[in-house]
Amino acid sequence: MPENERLDTAMTQFLLIDSLSSIYLSLHIIDLEKNTSVEYNASSAIREVATKNTDADQVMIATMKHVVVSEYQDAVIEFTDLHTVAERMRGKQSITFEFISANFGWCRGRFIRINDRSLDELPTRVIFATEVIDEEKRREENLIRISLTDELTTLLNRRAYEEELKLYKDLSKTENFTYVSMDLNGLKRVNDNIGHAAGDELIIEAAKIIRASMGRFGKVFRTGGDEFQAILFVEPSKIDEITKSMCDMCDAWKGEYSDTMSISYGVASQSEFPDKKVKELGKIADKRMYENKDEYYRRTGLDRRK
């Protein structure tokens, strides 16, 4: 190759790496067969990191221990193991792993195959690149939060409730699991007679009361118009105290549109039914809630259909 073409090629490669450095926090070009690497980052020129006396795999381990927070170190060191990366990349153009850096927050590490062989073969050279994704993770977490939050009350929504139930298929691994089913009394009557603004006020204020009385013991969900559920982890002796606190707050409540608040509830706990599964506890709690609701309408003389 003529000298001018060789220089043009070298300059093109340099500019390509320089462009990538604006995206990535650091770049390592690693020769897996020779166990050497060249590091490039935005704060330095290209420089040899591995020499005849310095192994790239040891440099990688030392670097990860220095920049990664302790709880992610073992996983990151496993991911960046240069002895296994070739096999892990068989058939793949790149592999990634996310971790938290002590200085930059959330980061993503990526091994990228240098295309000197087909995907079916083991790579001999790779690029290891790290990029800061802290802002991306914040946006992602915010979108997840929005998708799992009830817009009116800011409680967790039905989707979050369904996802939470999946975590407790095996209650033998939990203690003091308590399922609470709740229903706001008289919402239809308020909507029909006073208006939906009054109905929304009842729903919002009921959510505040439920959160205040139960939130520190577990998670609270709005699963329907006037339906709420709570999954708590609380000692059996505390359950009556929690539900009494909710009822006392309802009795003391006065709103802009309404001056009464009532929430029917039913509780089913793991301690009371140690052999029941989550869905069975839910059915028991629902049954008890409806019994409590029937008692409310008998006591008040109100027509529950109005």
Side-chain angles (χ1 to χ4, degrees):
M1 177 185 295
E3 181 65 16
N4 62 336
E5 290 185 19
R6 188 182 68 79
L7 290 174
D8 286 345
T9 300
M11 180 56 69
T12 299
Q13 292 173 342
F14 181 86
L15 292 173
L16 176 60
I17 294 173
D18 190 57
S19 298
L20 288 173
S21 72
S22 66
I23 300 173
Y24 293 106
L25 183 64
S26 65
L27 290 172
H28 296 257
I29 302 174
I30 302 170
D31 189 316
L32 298 173
E33 291 184 333
K34 297 179 180 179
N35 194 26
T36 60
S37 68
V38 176
E39 180 187 359
Y40 181 87
N41 59 49
S43 62
S44 69
I46 295 178
R47 69 178 189 272
E48 285 280 342
V49 172
T51 67
K52 291 180 180 179
N53 298 318
T54 306
D55 294 330
D57 54 352
Q58 296 304 310
V59 171
M60 184 69 75
I61 291 172
T63 300
M64 293 301 103
K65 285 184 176 180
H66 178 68
V67 302
V68 178
V69 296
S70 58
E71 55 265 40
Y72 279 86
Q73 282 188 7
D74 289 343
V76 171
I77 289 172
E78 181 179 353
F79 174 75
T80 55
D81 186 348
L82 299 185
H83 300 288
T84 64
V85 68
E87 185 60 46
R88 286 184 281 129
M89 292 189 70
R90 186 191 292 274
K92 300 174 183 176
Q93 185 62 43
S94 68
I95 56 176
T96 63
F97 184 82
E98 294 178 359
F99 59 91
I100 298 178
S101 161
N103 295 323
F104 300 101
W106 276 102
C107 293
R108 180 181 294 119
R110 184 190 303 271
F111 280 108
I112 306 167
R113 175 191 290 262
I114 295 178
N115 290 322
D116 56 350
R117 292 187 171 191
S118 70
L119 285 181
D120 294 332
E121 297 180 279
L122 297 182
T124 59
R125 293 187 300 160
V126 296
I127 295 172
F128 178 67
T130 56
E131 60 180 316
V132 178
I133 59 168
D134 205 58
E135 185 176 343
E136 176 185 327
K137 291 293 286 188
R138 291 175 190 274
R139 289 197 301 268
E140 177 184 311
E141 290 169 359
N142 187 50
L143 288 173
I144 292 173
R145 181 187 60 78
I146 291 172
S147 72
L148 298 177
T149 301
D150 176 63
E151 185 176 1
L152 181 62
T153 64
T154 73
L155 294 180
L156 294 168
N157 62 17
R158 174 168 284 279
R159 177 182 175 186
Y161 166 74
E162 298 291 347
E163 291 297 318
E164 188 73 11
L165 288 188
K166 293 177 183 177
L167 301 177
Y168 302 110
K169 290 182 178 180
D170 184 3
L171 289 181
S172 65
K173 299 179 180 179
T174 67
E175 292 183 3
N176 296 324
F177 183 97
T178 301
Y179 190 111
V180 187
S181 177
M182 292 160 282
D183 196 281
L184 180 58
N185 295 321
L187 179 62
K188 185 178 185 303
R189 177 172 51 85
V190 169
N191 278 332
D192 291 346
N193 296 331
I194 307 177
H196 286 280
D200 286 350
E201 177 188 54
L202 271 185
I203 293 170
I204 293 168
E205 295 301 312
K208 290 179 181 178
I209 287 172
I210 293 169
R211 178 187 277 129
S213 57
M214 301 185 185
R216 63 194 176 98
F217 300 104
K219 294 183 178 181
V220 180
F221 310 83
R222 182 189 179 203
T223 55
D226 55 2
E227 299 171 1
F228 302 87
Q229 315 291 334
I231 294 176
L232 312 178
F233 291 90
V234 59
E235 294 178 2
S237 59
K238 285 278 188 182
I239 294 174
D240 286 345
E241 178 184 331
I242 292 169
T243 54
K244 182 179 185 302
S245 172
M246 179 183 72
C247 292
D248 288 346
M249 283 188 274
C250 286
D251 291 342
W253 179 82
K254 302 291 182 183
E256 180 180 350
Y257 298 97
S258 306
D259 57 4
T260 59
M261 169 84 71
S262 172
I263 300 172
S264 293
Y265 65 90
V267 179
S269 66
Q270 183 182 17
S271 59
E272 185 181 5
F273 302 99
D275 297 326
K276 298 294 185 181
K277 296 182 178 180
V278 171
K279 288 188 177 180
E280 293 173 312
L281 290 178
K283 290 179 180 178
I284 294 169
D286 283 344
K287 182 175 182 294
R288 289 177 170 178
M289 182 273 292
Y290 283 116
E291 290 172 351
N292 185 253
K293 182 175 282 289
D294 288 341
E295 172 58 28
Y296 166 80
Y297 282 106
R298 281 196 299 270
R299 186 175 68 253
T300 60
L302 298 172
D303 186 342
R304 66 185 303 173
R305 295 168 297 181
K306 296 182 180 180

